Amino acid sequence: GEDVEQSLFLSVREGDSSVINCTYTDSSSTYLYWYKQEPGAGLQLLTYIFSNMDMKQDQRLTVLLNKKDKHLSLRIADTQTGDSAIYFCAEGPGGYNKLIFGAGTRLAVHP
Amino acid sequence: NAGVTQTPKFQVLKTGQSMTLQCAQDMNHNSMYWYRQDPGMGLRLIYYSASEGTTDKGEVPNGYNVSRLNKREFSLRLESAAPSQTSVYFCASSERGDNSPLHFGNGTRLTVT
């Protein structure tokens, strides 16, 4: 079945770039998403990319998609303490939004 | 604009007790979902409702029932709670079911002892 894998933890220094990686298995996915979860809150959609794109940039966020390797990454430039959160990768195989979520990467930003 | 509202925020149940988790959205979305979040496992879909009047099973439906009361409200019922149902439950909605973005509530933390 479909699967999405992420590393569980990433620690970066404030001001550095963070890169969160994700691999997925379903090559028929139409959309790939990044969600952010802050403590005690639900998930917020950060950005998404269509499967026919290689890259998408949105202010400090850059999403890279390598379809051949089924690899998705989220780069956060100039990481701030407010970026500390859990980041979830999700793929959309289609059909009533049956997203498959990864386990989440906890990003810790330290001074 | 409240978005997706879930009640209660926290709940402790004894094994065998029943309860209903409530969810309401004010965005006029057609589709609504219930997920559970467990450590190290990401989110798993319990049930979803593609539109008012329809409900379907997701990945982990056993032990749960749902009701799409109207377009705004989608409730999740545990008839006989078990410790394996200890989890954080999230309700979400989307404008349509075709990969339109999900909007999540803040979750209900449920502990079953």
Side-chain angles (χ1 to χ4, degrees):
Chain A
E2 300 93 357
D3 195 19
V4 176
E5 294 197 355
Q6 305 176 236
S7 53
L8 293 182
F9 190 74
L10 176 66
S11 177
V12 299
R13 191 180 305 242
E14 193 174 6
D16 286 351
S17 292
S18 308
V19 179
I20 302 171
N21 295 301
C22 168
T23 58
Y24 61 96
T25 57
D26 189 348
S27 58
S28 66
S29 291
T30 310
Y31 294 76
L32 295 122
Y33 300 84
W34 285 105
Y35 282 84
K36 176 183 180 183
Q37 184 182 31
E38 295 180 356
L43 279 70
Q44 287 178 280
L45 180 64
L46 266 186
T47 187
Y48 63 94
I49 189 167
F50 297 120
S51 59
N52 63 357
M53 296 170 66
D54 298 323
M55 185 182 88
K56 180 178 179 182
Q57 187 144 6
D58 184 359
Q59 300 183 328
R60 292 191 297 123
L61 305 179
T62 303
V63 179
L64 294 176
L65 175 60
N66 180 329
K67 283 185 68 178
K68 176 175 166 291
D69 295 337
K70 296 182 190 158
H71 182 266
L72 183 73
S73 67
L74 174 69
R75 178 176 180 269
I76 305 173
D78 186 25
T79 312
Q80 303 297 308
T81 54
D83 295 322
S84 294
I86 302 175
Y87 291 81
F88 290 90
C89 171
E91 62 167 344
Y96 293 105
N97 229 325
K98 291 183 186 176
L99 294 186
I100 308 296
F101 286 86
T105 299
R106 183 178 295 274
L107 175 64
V109 183
H110 56 88
Chain B
N1 187 357
V4 179
T5 303
Q6 291 183 236
T7 55
K9 286 187 169 46
F10 301 94
Q11 184 71 50
V12 178
L13 293 177
K14 290 186 173 20
T15 297
Q17 288 185 315
S18 61
M19 80 160 294
T20 300
L21 281 64
Q22 308 286 353
C23 174
Q25 52 91 8
D26 62 2
M27 296 172 283
N28 202 34
H29 284 171
N30 289 305
S31 302
M32 297 185 74
Y33 314 83
W34 278 103
Y35 286 89
R36 59 179 288 173
Q37 182 182 29
D38 300 295
M41 296 189 71
L43 276 76
R44 292 180 293 168
L45 183 65
I46 303 171
Y47 270 93
Y48 66 98
S49 171
S51 60
E52 187 179 354
T54 69
T55 61
D56 282 286
K57 294 178 181 178
E59 183 186 352
V60 288
N62 290 345
Y64 305 96
N65 284 301
V66 290
S67 295
R68 183 76 184 265
L69 303 168
N70 48 54
K71 192 171 185 179
R72 290 187 64 245
E73 297 173 286
F74 189 39
S75 63
L76 178 72
R77 183 157 178 85
L78 286 70
E79 290 291 352
S80 177
S84 61
Q85 294 178 304
T86 294
S87 189
V88 181
Y89 291 85
F90 287 99
C91 178
S93 69
S94 64
E95 188 176 350
R96 302 175 304 275
D98 60 349
N99 288 308
S100 52
L102 292 173
H103 297 259
F104 284 85
N106 285 339
T108 295
R109 186 173 293 275
L110 175 68
T111 301
V112 183
T113 61

